[in-house]
Amino acid sequence: MNPIDQIVADRDAARHASDPNADVCFLATTDANGHAHVRTLVLREIVENRFGVYMNRSSPKWQQLTENNGYELLLFYPTRQRQYRLSGTVQEIEPASVDSNWNMRPAGSKYMDYFYREMAPQSSTLESRQVLLSGIDSLKNRYPDPHDLLPPDLAVGLDLVITCIDMLDISNPDRIHDRIHHFLKQGTWVEQVLVP
Ligand SMILES: Cc1cc2nc3c(=O)[nH]c(=O)nc-3n(C[C@H](O)[C@H](O)[C@H](O)COP(=O)(O)O)c2cc1C
């Protein structure tokens, strides 16, 4: 089976098994000093080899991804006993899709995106949590109905366009795991067995 179809099938099975990781992914990047950073993100649509994630342009991860330092995306479905490590390139999702996704976000997340734009970038330092709560209160006073909030320019969607997949299956009871490296060559997935 094509490795993307395999991931989609594993994710569907993970969802049916109430796997806590079914809807998330773990994205690792490096900063300009070579320090590694990894964080959890909601994984949206998987279309062909494009894995959609949404974030704010004010965040360090956005800067790291667009500085083109490379990334690795980790999926682990405990209920399937499968790990996938994915890498490739990055493409912005078209603004219309970002906007319709943003409009469905919970009110708190929308106010946070306005906070990043009007008060402080994501992941920057605040004097106290009270500063954050006061800032959110002032946004709620200014925009009392969250339905009136329009998608801010800083909201962005990225397709992680995957060209390499390292699959590890640890379900064999004898602990002799199965590991396969897949890479795209002229539009076709090629596979190599790896020492697990
Ligand atoms: C379950 C879960 C889902 C998350 N989903 C997202 C997401 O979709 N987009 C996002 O920007 N941050 C998401 N976060 C927060 C990130 O993990 C991270 O803390 C934040 O984006 C700041 O990351 P940065 O400083 O590396 O830019 C999520 C966190 C958790 C625990």
Side-chain angles (χ1 to χ4, degrees), residues 16-195:
H16 282 110
S18 304
D19 192 314
N21 288 351
D23 289 308
V24 297
C25 57
F26 307 99
L27 177 68
T29 51
T30 48
D31 65 23
N33 298 317
H35 294 138
H37 301 266
V38 63
R39 76 288 284 162
T40 313
L41 299 178
V42 174
L43 176 60
R44 312 288 172 146
E45 320 70 17
I46 303 175
V47 180
E48 295 173 358
N49 62 334
R50 301 193 305 280
F51 288 60
V53 291
Y54 288 82
M55 63 187 64
N56 191 279
R57 286 184 213 268
S58 74
S59 70
K61 64 184 143 336
W62 166 255
Q63 193 186 357
Q64 290 154 22
L65 282 165
T66 50
E67 279 171 359
N68 218 0
N69 289 322
Y71 64 85
E72 196 161 78
L73 187 70
L74 180 81
L75 308 177
F76 173 49
Y77 302 122
T79 55
R80 307 295 297 155
Q81 294 287 282
R82 288 238 173 100
Q83 167 185 271
Y84 293 95
R85 295 162 65 184
L86 317 176
S87 58
T89 57
V90 176
Q91 249 175 31
E92 272 197 39
I93 293 176
E94 50 156 10
S97 302
V98 177
D99 288 359
S100 63
N101 178 282
W102 195 88
N103 287 330
M104 290 187 298
R105 302 192 74 191
S109 308
K110 290 181 173 179
Y111 285 118
M112 276 310 308
D113 265 341
Y114 272 57
F115 186 92
Y116 303 144
R117 185 182 67 184
E118 298 184 17
M119 305 200 175
Q122 188 175 25
S123 308
S124 62
T125 310
L126 292 176
E127 231 164 74
S128 67
R129 179 163 173 80
Q130 194 48 49
V131 175
L132 169 66
L133 298 179
S134 307
I136 294 291
D137 279 348
S138 77
L139 288 169
K140 286 182 175 170
N141 283 334
R142 208 175 332 150
Y143 311 102
D145 185 349
H147 295 104
D148 292 340
L149 296 172
L150 297 173
D153 287 350
L154 290 179
V156 66
L158 287 181
D159 271 332
L160 303 172
V161 184
I162 299 304
T163 52
C164 278
I165 300 176
D166 176 342
M167 189 281 302
L168 176 69
D169 184 317
I170 58 167
S171 64
N172 276 312
D174 61 4
R175 313 304 292 163
I176 309 300
H177 304 318
D178 184 17
R179 185 165 171 204
I180 302 179
H181 177 68
H182 303 263
F183 61 96
L184 260 186
K185 191 175 176 191
Q186 292 162 353
T188 303
W189 287 101
V190 177
E191 68 175 59
Q192 295 169 318
V193 174
L194 296 185
V195 179

